[in-house]
Amino acid sequence: MRVEFFSLEQASLSAGRQSWAEIDGLWLSISPVRGRLVLRQGAHSQIVSHKVRLRYHPQVAPGLRFRKGSRVLVIHHVETLDSRQRWQSCLCEEISNITPQPAKETP
């Protein structure tokens, strides 16, 4: 298991466009659960579900996302793991674009 520094982001609408703003930086423990390849808007995307564990943060909520560089984890569910609010667990989907590979020609 790897611990990484991610930023927590929230979406806002301005001039009809969605933009994301950083709220805070967090340390996360990320465990992959499952994955699939889908076609979205004519491009292949990889969607991998992850379970994320982190120190309790009051602003972590469904609809927000974690981001580190091009790696994006969209939060779908948040659960507090203990009654003292020390740890949280999130179910997330990682969405990343995959550049199509050119077809190999056979002689």
Side-chain angles (χ1 to χ4, degrees):
M1 208 177 311
R2 214 168 127 196
V3 177
E4 299 183 66
F5 182 73
F6 275 70
S7 60
L8 176 65
E9 297 183 323
Q10 182 173 18
S12 63
L13 291 175
S14 58
R17 298 170 71 194
Q18 185 179 34
S19 62
W20 291 86
E22 185 175 332
I23 296 173
D24 203 356
L26 304 170
W27 288 93
L28 308 178
S29 171
I30 303 169
S31 303
V33 180
R34 66 173 187 263
R36 67 182 186 267
L37 187 66
V38 296
L39 186 64
R40 288 187 178 175
Q41 299 175 350
H44 286 93
S45 291
Q46 180 181 4
I47 300 176
V48 181
S49 294
H50 288 76
K51 190 171 195 175
V52 175
R53 185 179 166 146
L54 65 149
R55 285 283 218 179
Y56 179 82
H57 193 287
Q59 291 181 306
V60 173
L64 301 183
R65 68 185 192 176
F66 300 113
R67 181 185 54 81
K68 180 181 181 185
S70 62
R71 191 171 186 191
V72 177
L73 296 167
V74 179
I75 303 170
H76 291 291
H77 177 75
V78 179
E79 178 181 6
T80 303
L81 297 178
D82 60 352
S83 60
R84 296 175 68 190
Q85 294 185 334
R86 292 180 297 177
W87 296 101
Q88 285 177 313
S89 177
C90 302
L91 294 178
C92 302
E93 275 190 336
E94 180 176 8
I95 300 176
S96 60
N97 289 330
I98 298 174
T99 55
Q101 299 293 325
K104 292 183 179 179
E105 293 183 26
T106 55

